[in-house]
């Protein structure tokens, strides 16, 4: 008897086809190309066929892969309908919801949304641990862990991702003047930097990737003077002129508007920040946790836009 197929493999395969390339699917999902390739290879091995012909320059879906994709879409849609049926039949959201998230995200973005959520669901109590620790969801009893980063490589858990804002390359006007006119990313090679680090980053990593209007990547080597996982720690250092930084636009747009910072290479960006909600399994997700994810999906874009629009 053949081993049942992994639904995650089907989801990733469908996302690759829908996006048109591994690179585009990687950006849309906020996961690495290597993780997508791993799931694709696993699916093809389980089926014993080639679904996508891949070269270093392009990919081409085989006729069998196209038909399989069509059937996958039907299967995934039916799974979503089945899950919705069960979810709609469950009781109202209640109980204690335990969540981990980064400090800066909690302070700057999440906090304004919490009161509205708790008023909407009066039988839910929330425990929010704000720190930068990589928590163990299962052993520490967390329902959700929120992670703010560009990509998430951990395939052990279920992930729902929400797009946030772009990363901008910024510096003080004085530092920008010392650097001189900058038209290409390569002109900044070796620049002193203030580095926003993410969990899983290479501690010795000294390269940024900037993307042009065609989403082509351009590397910049830099020399980190100060590195931290907390953007609120880094921002004063950036404003002091310690180095160039790649920061979320929601954190630095007002300073750019007020002339305290300038955006270098404004036709390039450092990718899109993603909020990744990580949880052990969809089957074990409580009603309160599902309602919280829905609340995030509805209110996160408005909250970020409100921050950007504030005077």
């Amino acid at each position: 008897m053949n081993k049942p197929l992994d639904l995650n493999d089907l989801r990733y395969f469908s996302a690759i086809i829908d996006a048109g390339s591994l690179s585009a699917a990687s950006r849309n999902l906020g996961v690495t190309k290597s993780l997508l390739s791993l799931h694709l290879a696993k699916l093809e091995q389980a089926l014993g066929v080639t679904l996508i012909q891949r070269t270093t320059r392009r990919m081409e879906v085989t006729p069998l892969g196209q038909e399989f994709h069509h059937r996958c879409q039907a299967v995934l849609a039916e799974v979503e309908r089945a899950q919705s049926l069960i979810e709609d039949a469950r009781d109202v959201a209640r109980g204690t919801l335990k969540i981990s998230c980064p400090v800066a995200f909690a302070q700057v973005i999440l906090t304004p949304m919490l009161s509205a959520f708790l008023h909407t669901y009066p039988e839910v109590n929330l425990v929010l641990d704000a720190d930068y620790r990589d928590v163990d969801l299962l052993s520490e009893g967390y329902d959700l862990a929120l992670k703010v980063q560009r990509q998430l490589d951990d395939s052990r858990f279920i992930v729902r991702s929400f797009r946030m804002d772009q990363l901008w390359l910024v510096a003080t006007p004085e530092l920008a003047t010392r650097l001189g006119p900058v038209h290409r990313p390569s002109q900044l090679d070796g620049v002193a930097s203030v580095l926003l680090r993410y969990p899983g980053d290479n501690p010795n990593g000294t390269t940024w990737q900037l993307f042009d209007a065609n989403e082509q990547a351009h590397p910049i080597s830099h020399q980190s003077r100060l590195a931290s996982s907390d953007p609120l720690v880094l921002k004063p250092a950036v404003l002091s002129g310690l180095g160039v930084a790649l920061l979320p636009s929601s954190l630095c747009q007002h300073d750019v508007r007020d002339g305290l910072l300038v955006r270098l290479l404004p036709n390039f960006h450092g990718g899109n920040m993603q909020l990744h909600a990580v949880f052990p399994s969809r089957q074990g997700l409580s009603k309160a946790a599902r309602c919280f994810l829905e609340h995030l999906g509805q209110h996160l874009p408005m909250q970020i836009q409100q921050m950007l629009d504030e005077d």
Side-chain angles (χ1 to χ4, degrees), residues 103-173:
V103 177
F105 179 78
Q107 293 178 341
V108 177
I109 297 177
L110 185 60
T111 299
M113 293 187 279
L114 295 183
S115 294
F117 171 75
L118 292 172
H119 282 300
T120 303
Y121 300 99
E123 295 187 49
V124 175
N125 302 314
L126 181 63
V127 175
L128 180 67
D129 287 340
D131 56 37
Y132 294 103
R133 189 170 57 89
D134 191 11
V135 301
D136 188 318
L137 287 170
L138 297 175
S139 67
E140 298 183 56
Y142 285 95
D143 296 282
L144 298 169
L146 304 180
K147 302 175 182 288
V148 180
Q149 54 196 88
R150 287 160 297 184
Q151 298 183 141
L152 194 66
D153 299 337
D154 195 339
S155 61
R156 296 173 298 165
F157 301 115
I158 307 298
V159 178
R160 180 174 173 183
S161 299
F162 306 87
R163 180 171 174 172
M164 294 178 64
D165 51 351
Q166 282 188 340
L167 290 165
W168 288 0
L169 195 66
V170 295
T172 60

Side-chain angles (χ1 to χ4, degrees), residues 78-98:
E78 189 60 34
V79 169
E80 289 295 329
R81 284 193 291 270
Q83 290 173 340
S84 297
L85 177 67
I86 299 300
E87 291 169 1
D88 292 342
R90 290 186 180 179
D91 292 337
V92 297
R94 59 168 57 90
T96 299
L97 184 60
K98 187 177 180 181

Side-chain angles (χ1 to χ4, degrees), residues 103-105 107 132 196-197 227-235:
V103 177
F105 179 78
Q107 293 178 341
Y132 294 103
L196 180 58
R197 295 186 65 246
S228 173
S229 58
D230 188 344
L232 298 181
V233 170
L234 299 178
K235 188 174 176 180

Side-chain angles (χ1 to χ4, degrees), residues 261-295:
L261 294 174
V262 295
R263 186 178 176 188
L264 304 176
L265 296 169
N267 293 324
F268 294 79
H269 64 87
N272 293 306
M273 294 296 295
Q274 303 269 351
L275 173 66
H276 304 283
V278 183
F279 44 98
S281 73
R282 191 181 300 275
Q283 182 178 2
L285 201 61
S286 69
K287 177 71 171 180
R290 290 197 305 277
C291 290
F292 184 81
L293 289 176
E294 292 171 6
H295 188 81

Side-chain angles (χ1 to χ4, degrees), residues 150 189 195 204-209 218-223 246:
R150 287 160 297 184
D189 279 340
L195 177 62
N204 299 316
T206 55
T207 303
W208 283 320
Q209 295 288 346
H218 301 262
I220 296 178
S221 63
H222 57 93
Q223 298 180 356
L246 200 58

